[in-house]
Amino acid sequence: QVQLVESGGGLVQAGGSLRLSCAASGRTFNSNAIGWFRQAPGKERQFVAAIRWSDGSTYYADSLKGRFTISRDNAKNTVYLQMNSLKPEDTAVYYCGAAMTTGWRATSYDYWGQGTQVTVSS
């Protein structure tokens, strides 16, 4: 089992920034990648970004490139999502997931955190 705990969400004005954290524990060797997804009310879970633990390779949803940056700290088993120039449409619950390989499909991820709410006001 891999346990994931997200933190760092909150309320921010449009144009502001937030940094989310995803702390992994347990059998972390069961995963090679961490992905961030988001889900707004009434919508499907949407891929945001993913990173490989081993070499730091990163992958982004095309629409979010340039505003969002994913990074990792292997010593802390933590992955970060830096979100800049936030827009009201970024409002969602943000989840991190652990998988054996990076991917944009939520079904590829075996473990999930409980999510953290991000609300961007206009």
Side-chain angles (χ1 to χ4, degrees):
Q1 286 280 353
V2 176
Q3 290 82 43
L4 302 171
V5 179
E6 301 98 334
S7 61
L11 174 64
V12 63
Q13 287 190 332
S17 298
L18 281 175
R19 188 177 81 154
L20 306 183
S21 299
C22 172
S25 62
R27 294 178 176 267
T28 55
F29 52 82
N30 280 350
S31 72
N32 292 326
I34 295 290
W36 282 101
F37 288 74
R38 66 185 185 183
Q39 189 164 18
K43 294 190 176 181
E44 291 187 354
R45 196 164 291 193
Q46 176 191 22
F47 174 72
V48 174
I51 190 166
R52 277 208 296 252
W53 285 114
S54 57
D55 62 5
S57 295
T58 57
Y59 306 87
Y60 293 93
D62 287 342
S63 61
L64 299 175
K65 275 182 188 177
R67 291 198 300 125
F68 289 16
T69 303
I70 191 170
S71 62
R72 86 222 191 276
D73 184 333
N74 286 44
K76 295 182 178 179
N77 282 343
T78 299
V79 171
Y80 304 98
L81 184 69
Q82 178 68 42
M83 306 185 296
N84 298 327
S85 303
L86 283 163
K87 305 174 182 180
E89 51 263 43
D90 294 319
T91 295
V93 177
Y94 283 70
Y95 298 90
C96 63
M100 290 303 295
T101 185
T102 53
W104 60 270
R105 295 181 187 272
T107 53
S108 299
Y109 291 76
D110 303 306
Y111 306 96
W112 293 95
Q114 82 289 349
T116 185
Q117 176 71 46
V118 171
T119 303
V120 184
S121 64
S122 57

